[in-house]
Amino acid sequence: QVQLVESGGGLVQPGGSLRLSCAASGSIFSINAMGWYRQAPGKERELVATITSGGSTNYADSVKGRFTISRDNAKNTVYLQMNSLKPEDTAVYYCNAEIITTNYYGLDSWGKGTLVTVSS
């Protein structure tokens, strides 16, 4: 019915940059907040950044000043620009979206995740 697909993960050296993308598709009427979460090995999933449909953003303290979240409402896509990456940013990054379907049903949707590895 609704699908979120992430892309852009990979291996990068410390200090490098990556850009993640997440496209939502399916029976979508509208999307409220979108966001990125991450889960490192042996740790719980944590919030990285969120963005409302109006463009208001919120960031985890650990990524402020290094990561930027943005979205293209026309494409139902959210992005995460990650700069000055550190080894502790290594994790599986998950996209999340609060979707209203064409049947006016609310869904809290998740992607399957994309792995980001920061290592020399």
Side-chain angles (χ1 to χ4, degrees), residues 74-96:
K75 295 181 179 180
N76 290 334
T77 300
V78 63
Y79 306 96
L80 186 68
Q81 178 66 43
M82 305 186 293
N83 299 328
S84 303
L85 282 160
K86 304 175 181 179
E88 51 263 45
D89 295 317
T90 295
V92 177
Y93 284 71
Y94 297 92
C95 174
N96 172 263

Side-chain angles (χ1 to χ4, degrees), residues 14-35:
S17 298
L18 280 176
R19 188 191 194 210
L20 305 183
S21 300
C22 171
S25 61
S27 302
I28 298 171
F29 174 74
S30 65
I31 303 177
N32 295 327
M34 303 184 81

Side-chain angles (χ1 to χ4, degrees), residues 8-84:
L11 174 64
V12 63
Q13 292 186 342
S17 298
L18 280 176
R19 188 191 194 210
L20 305 183
S21 300
C22 171
S25 61
S27 302
I28 298 171
F29 174 74
S30 65
I31 303 177
N32 295 327
M34 303 184 81
W36 290 94
Y37 294 73
R38 67 186 181 186
Q39 187 167 17
K43 295 187 177 181
E44 294 185 354
R45 189 175 298 188
E46 63 176 3
L47 180 147
V48 176
T50 60
I51 184 168
T52 68
S53 57
S56 296
T57 59
N58 179 53
Y59 294 93
D61 288 344
S62 59
V63 306
K64 283 181 180 177
R66 299 188 297 123
F67 291 10
T68 302
I69 189 170
S70 61
R71 65 190 282 177
D72 185 332
N73 292 330
K75 295 181 179 180
N76 290 334
T77 300
V78 63
Y79 306 96
L80 186 68
Q81 178 66 43
M82 305 186 293
N83 299 328
S84 303

